[in-house]
Amino acid sequence: MSDINILTLVGSLRAASINRQIAELAVGAAPEGVTLSIFEGLGDLPFYNDDIDGPDVVAAVTALRTAAAQADAVLVVTPEFNGSIPAVVKNAIDWLSRPFGNGAAKEKPVAVIGASMGQYGGVWSHDETRKSFGIAGAKVIEAVSLAVPVKSLDGKHPRESADLVAALDEVLKKLVAELV
């Protein structure tokens, strides 16, 4: 297979978030022939509204849909907010699911990972994200799991955790394996 492009969505808009750091680590750790691109416009998307969807939809939505359509797969790196999925991730899924049955995420392999403050590292959010992407028509990779309790990093950058780096490498290998 030629070069593989993976769209990366980060569920935290905070510039210094652990999840952004993990996403950036993934970009730098991509295997040869694989390019990960972090979509920077999740905060610019309006809430999904069928009344504003159509040929003249706002540029941020067009950019997201184009990025997803051009990607071979999607990696979501997200925390858990109040025991559930961050609004920016759910909103992105809603935009990507339309038109219903033929959205930009249809049949794309999707892996969900991330870090969160809770002791389970965001497992509930990851489960909800997988469920929503599955309903949207994506090919969710259930076998991929990387839920990092933030306290396990002990204040260090994710790249300083050999276990996290190794686990991230496995996630990327499993995601790429869905494409070859």
Side-chain angles (χ1 to χ4, degrees):
M1 178 174 236
S2 61
D3 287 345
I4 294 171
N5 295 306
I6 299 174
L7 174 65
T8 306
L9 304 177
V10 180
S12 174
L13 299 180
R14 200 167 51 81
S17 80
I18 297 292
N19 287 282
R20 173 158 294 277
Q21 292 173 10
I22 292 171
E24 291 168 350
L25 181 61
V27 168
E32 186 174 335
V34 177
T35 302
L36 277 80
S37 312
I38 298 174
F39 184 78
E40 298 294 352
L42 289 187
D44 299 328
L45 298 171
F47 284 113
Y48 183 80
N49 177 344
D50 198 43
D51 289 342
I52 63 172
D53 197 359
D56 296 323
V57 72
V58 299
V61 172
T62 301
L64 174 64
R65 287 177 170 165
T66 299
Q70 293 174 348
D72 299 302
V74 178
L75 175 66
V76 182
V77 186
T78 187
E80 184 173 285
F81 287 178
N82 297 312
S84 190
I85 186 171
V88 295
V89 172
K90 179 62 170 80
N91 193 42
I93 296 168
D94 291 344
W95 282 111
L96 291 173
S97 71
R98 301 295 191 265
F100 186 74
N102 198 30
K106 183 178 180 183
E107 298 179 8
K108 301 249 185 212
V110 173
V112 183
I113 64 171
S116 202
M117 297 303 290
Q119 66 180 344
Y120 303 113
V123 170
W124 292 338
S125 173
H126 301 172
D127 289 346
E128 291 294 316
T129 303
R130 286 183 193 97
K131 180 177 101 178
S132 291
F133 259 115
I135 291 168
K139 180 182 170 185
V140 176
I141 305 170
E142 297 291 341
V144 170
S145 181
L146 177 55
V148 181
V150 171
K151 65 182 175 188
S152 72
L153 296 173
D154 197 28
K156 297 177 184 166
H157 191 285
R159 73 176 163 261
E160 296 177 55
S161 169
D163 290 342
L164 190 150
V165 170
L168 185 57
D169 182 59
E170 285 302 310
V171 165
L172 294 175
K173 286 178 182 174
K174 287 178 182 176
L175 185 54
V176 168
E178 292 294 321
L179 299 166
V180 293

